[in-house]
Amino acid sequence: MEFTDKDRYTYVIGIADNMLILGQRLGELCGHGPNLETDIALTNIALDLFGQVRSYYQYAAQLVGENKSEDDVAFLRREREYLNALLVEQPNTHFGYVIGRQFLFDVFHLLMLKELVKSNDETLRAIAAKGIKEVSYHQRFSGDWLKRLGDGTEESQHKMQEAMNDLLPYTRELFEMTEADTKAFEAGVGVNLGSLYEQYQEIVQEHLEEATLDMPEELYFKSGGKQGIHSEHMGYILTDMQYMQRTYPQMNW
Amino acid sequence: MNTAQARIDRDLIPILEQVSDPEIPVLTVLDLGVIREAVKEGDEVHIKLTPTYSGCPAMDVIADDLKAALAKHQLKAVVKLVLSPAWSTDWLSEAGKQKMEAYGIAPPLEASADKAALLGEAAIVPCTNCGSKSTRMISQFGSTACKALFQCDDCQEPFDYFKCLK
């Protein structure tokens, strides 16, 4: 089956949008972190994610041609055209949710990048190799906090467990293969996400045990984001993020 | 991949040495090892720059500074950002590590020692102020993406540690 530039574009966007939206969520915490060090850490992680997403979007813009830039790709799409998973758009309800969402994404992100470095696409390989080094630090940060909160006070444990119960149902979507994922995998470009799910669950379970938390029973799971069908939160995120482009169309730095 | 050698024309070195990292001004771009290639072709200089971290905001400033420094010598810089092979702390020059330490930032340790330090297993990043080995990590992320924040238990001074990236 032919793998067109359009397929490649969709695949790249599907990876990258997660980083843009999660970065945006973390950015909301700038100046609002629970303490100075954590505030800086969270915005540093956001910065890493934006750095990575720029590399993906520059590549995506190149694939579209038509003089498109990374900013066009980042800011000038409609909600349905963003392909991030639902997990990353979930709100910063409380610090337990911030850490839970980060940890659940980091574990996925690292597993995915470790496969993406084997891609036959040279650009994706380079971005992934760079990303692995950064995301290892992210997972260390979120994993440490998960432990600290889970194995902390009665209150912190309760809140961390609450966040895990609410967020875990969003994780299976990360491993669903969309049409673009399948095409990319068959072309040797993309990652076989489905094959990583078992390993993912094991890593999450291990960390939860260490944090004296229970692995929530999976009664159902939520998906749709990767097909462009988002939760209610997404509209608000885009409203905030696209504000400058609406006010000053075509602006750039 | 971290043994990749930079390809830099010798006569460009004095000019490139004038450009420093805006966040750590004691380090030149050559100390940092972010210039992977600088080759003169006529009055153009083709430079390949690799970021320390994907989102490092200093990269744009460094690219502009390189253009300005070369323009003084009637040379036009053509700067290209390359990601592969990914930058490693092994590319920091020895002189750079010493300058960094004198400036108050603990230079990266070997990978294994670094891992232990960041996982809180051992406090082995010596204090840049008093040299004490009784230090602890406050945060994995310091004032910039490339640094972690430590504090010395003896002199109480906080200090930055340049994270090991291999």
Side-chain angles (χ1 to χ4, degrees), chain B residues 60-126:
Chain B
D60 292 338
V61 180
I62 289 176
D64 285 347
D65 289 351
L66 283 170
K67 284 177 195 161
L70 288 161
K72 280 191 205 152
H73 298 265
Q74 285 73 48
L75 290 167
K76 188 174 174 295
V78 183
V79 182
K80 197 177 165 226
L81 214 59
V82 291
L83 292 178
S84 180
W87 183 82
S88 148
T89 34
D90 287 345
W91 295 354
L92 283 167
S93 69
E94 277 311 311
K97 285 182 192 170
Q98 282 165 21
K99 281 191 249 176
M100 197 188 279
E101 180 139 34
Y103 186 64
I105 300 170
L109 300 165
E110 285 308 303
S112 55
D114 177 84
K115 207 174 157 207
L118 288 170
L119 292 174
E121 286 163 8
I124 34 175
V125 179

Side-chain angles (χ1 to χ4, degrees), chain A residues 158-224:
Chain A
H158 169 73
K159 287 191 162 173
M160 200 59 243
Q161 185 69 56
E162 176 194 18
M164 276 298 159
N165 293 349
D166 284 353
L167 293 171
L168 206 77
Y170 292 101
T171 52
R172 196 191 279 213
E173 183 190 14
L174 297 166
F175 300 90
E176 275 186 323
M177 294 289 275
T178 61
E179 196 188 323
D181 288 330
T182 307
K183 275 189 186 172
F185 171 59
E186 282 167 3
V189 173
V191 174
N192 183 358
L193 296 170
S195 71
L196 300 173
Y197 187 53
E198 206 171 309
Q199 204 184 342
Y200 176 80
Q201 282 183 304
E202 278 168 22
I203 298 173
V204 170
Q205 175 127 30
E206 252 169 51
H207 278 79
L208 286 180
E209 271 168 27
E210 221 182 320
T212 66
L213 295 167
D214 297 324
M215 183 88 169
E217 201 181 327
E218 194 186 19
L219 301 169
Y220 59 97
F221 74 98
K222 300 176 185 176
S223 67

Side-chain angles (χ1 to χ4, degrees), chain A residues 40 44 51 130 133-134 137 144, chain B residues 51-52 54 87 118 142 164 166:
Chain A
I40 292 172
N44 258 312
K130 185 89 204 139
K133 300 181 175 196
E134 297 166 2
Y137 275 101
D144 278 359
Chain B
T52 53
S54 304
W87 183 82
L118 288 170
C164 188
K166 302 249 181 191

